[in-house]
Amino acid sequence: MKGLKKLFFGIMMLLMGAVAFGAEMDLSKVTLKDVNGMNYSFGKDGKPTYVKFWASWCPICLSGLEDIDNLSKEKKDFEVVTVVSPGLVGEKKTEDFKKWYKSLGYKNIKVLLDEKGELTKMLNVRVYPTSAVLNKSGKVEKVLPGHLEKAEIKKLFSSKMMMNDKGMKDTMMNDGKMKDSMMKDDKMMNDKNMMKNDKMSMEKKTSM
């Protein structure tokens, strides 16, 4: 039981560290071109934004593009964009990537070209896919390595999860198996029975 508790808090600290890291990143002044040559600025529409970093050589990334395409055309309260880095980290060069991507036939995905690797460096992206959540001002709230299903992405932007521009106070569990048991009135909430059992165990050892 104690081992599970330590593991639980260890994971929590890692997740909270990811949020704290991202909270200082302001992308509102970053402008990138998309595959159609149009400029895009983060936070310009005054909506929270979901950003997916991916690569053409990443099988998991490619398998998730249909979900991103469907999510992009749905009516929702947040923006969806994706970012690739042509010519970097094994990615195709810009023109080759554009030609390849257009051959896939996706109509709704906004693909931004981070040709200098500016965003990947700012957010310390080391694996593909990686997701980032931005508030409506274009500030990064959290960075989440690994694949996310469409339902998980939506959950990140649900009304209960989105607090305000100062930060998200939810916990996103990457594998979907752990349930949110964090943050209520800015305090960590845990299993009361577990805490009670630990206290009784400590009192018993002290009395021996």
Side-chain angles (χ1 to χ4, degrees):
M1 184 68 74
K2 291 183 179 180
L4 290 175
K5 183 179 175 182
K6 289 182 179 179
L7 177 60
F8 174 80
F9 277 108
I11 294 173
M12 292 302 184
M13 293 302 293
L14 287 173
L15 289 168
M16 290 176 70
V19 175
F21 167 80
E24 299 178 357
M25 300 296 174
D26 186 353
L27 305 188
S28 62
K29 296 181 180 180
V30 176
T31 299
L32 297 177
K33 290 187 180 297
D34 64 19
V35 289
N36 298 312
M38 302 296 291
N39 288 334
Y40 179 87
S41 299
F42 296 95
K44 66 177 181 178
D45 295 325
K47 291 182 179 181
T49 305
Y50 170 74
V51 185
K52 178 176 182 176
F53 292 85
W54 64 286
S56 64
W57 47 259
C58 168
I60 298 177
C61 301
L62 300 185
S63 67
L65 288 181
E66 185 174 356
D67 261 1
I68 296 297
D69 189 56
N70 291 331
L71 181 60
S72 297
K73 67 181 179 182
E74 290 181 8
K75 185 177 180 180
K76 54 196 176 302
D77 296 326
F78 61 93
E79 298 291 323
V80 176
V81 300
T82 72
V83 177
V84 296
S85 299
L88 301 174
V89 199
E91 186 53 85
K92 306 174 190 295
K93 293 183 178 180
T94 300
E95 293 307 316
D96 291 336
F97 177 84
K98 288 181 179 180
K99 183 177 180 181
W100 169 82
Y101 176 73
K102 290 180 179 179
S103 72
L104 300 181
Y106 293 113
K107 303 296 183 182
N108 305 294
I109 304 176
K110 183 175 290 295
V111 182
L112 306 180
L113 305 177
D114 185 19
E115 296 178 280
K116 297 180 180 180
E118 182 179 6
L119 290 190
T120 56
K121 290 178 182 178
M122 287 179 66
L123 275 64
N124 197 28
V125 176
R126 295 185 177 184
V127 298
Y128 292 114
T130 286
S131 298
V133 177
L134 282 57
N135 65 23
K136 63 182 182 180
S137 298
K139 294 182 179 179
V140 182
E141 296 291 353
K142 57 176 60 180
V143 178
L144 300 165
H147 175 72
L148 294 179
E149 299 290 339
K150 185 168 71 169
E152 293 175 309
I153 296 172
K154 286 184 174 181
K155 186 177 179 181
L156 284 170
F157 296 90
S158 66
S159 58
K160 292 181 180 180
M161 299 294 182
M162 296 295 293
M163 295 298 183
N164 50 43
D165 285 356
K166 292 182 180 179
M168 290 182 177
K169 298 179 181 179
D170 70 298
T171 300
M172 171 62 193
M173 299 309 177
N174 231 3
D175 61 3
K177 295 178 181 179
M178 295 182 66
K179 295 184 178 180
D180 183 9
S181 62
M182 291 180 66
M183 302 302 179
K184 184 176 182 182
D185 297 329
D186 296 325
K187 294 180 180 180
M188 292 284 288
M189 303 299 291
N190 201 1
D191 191 330
K192 293 182 179 180
N193 290 328
M194 182 186 294
M195 300 292 286
K196 183 178 180 180
N197 289 338
D198 285 347
K199 183 178 180 181
M200 292 175 64
S201 178
M202 290 179 65
E203 290 176 350
K204 185 176 179 181
K205 288 182 178 180
T206 304
S207 63
M208 290 179 65

